Amino acid sequence: MHMSKRLLLGLGLAGLIMESVVIQPALAADKVSLFKVITQKDEIVIGLSDDELAQVDGKNAGGIAKMLVAKGSMSVWQYAVHKSASGDLEQAPLHKVGLIATESLRVEPYASPLKVLPVDETKK
């Protein structure tokens, strides 16, 4: 009986470790960073996946602004607050928008208290 409790505990611990090793990379791949883009006329919230952000110098708001100025324009996903099927509010991709570099543009990090959804690959 004493041996079976240890075996059960060991199997449970091994399962927990295996689950965290398998699930963590999958969750990390879906991570989206939000940024607020502000102009003289309006502001929008955009989201960049970790893969997209890895292509940005500095991986921050300054790098996005620098990239936008260098390229002149870029396509990004606009994010907005959305109500899930369960009724919870979350940040979800709304639609793809084009940003055009202007002198009055500012990009800053945006922290949302809501769950941030990744872009659904079927919407691309």
Side-chain angles (χ1 to χ4, degrees):
M1 178 99 177
H2 185 65
M3 183 64 149
S4 63
K5 285 183 181 180
R6 283 187 183 182
L7 181 62
L8 183 60
L9 181 61
L11 288 174
L13 184 59
L16 182 63
I17 291 170
M18 289 293 288
E19 181 181 353
S20 67
V21 169
V22 171
I23 290 178
Q24 290 299 331
L27 292 177
D30 291 335
K31 185 167 180 328
V32 174
S33 297
L34 298 180
F35 297 90
K36 187 184 287 189
V37 178
I38 303 164
T39 66
Q40 287 180 341
K41 293 187 177 198
D42 64 352
E43 57 187 54
I44 64 168
V45 175
I46 63 168
L48 296 176
S49 69
D50 280 347
D51 291 340
E52 293 169 323
L53 199 56
Q55 299 172 11
V56 174
D57 185 31
K59 299 179 179 99
N60 58 24
I64 294 170
K66 193 186 298 185
M67 182 180 198
L68 185 56
V69 169
K71 286 186 169 184
S73 67
M74 61 191 286
S75 284
V76 295
W77 279 93
Q78 180 178 0
Y79 270 68
V81 175
H82 159 84
K83 193 177 270 191
S84 71
S86 66
D88 295 334
L89 294 178
E90 53 194 14
Q91 288 281 351
L94 183 61
H95 50 258
K96 200 123 186 180
V97 297
L99 297 179
I100 301 170
T102 65
E103 292 179 16
S104 60
L105 179 74
R106 187 172 87 227
V107 180
E108 59 188 42
Y110 181 78
S112 175
L114 306 175
K115 177 183 176 184
V116 179
L117 299 179
V119 172
D120 183 1
E121 294 298 321
T122 59
K123 291 184 179 180
K124 289 185 176 181

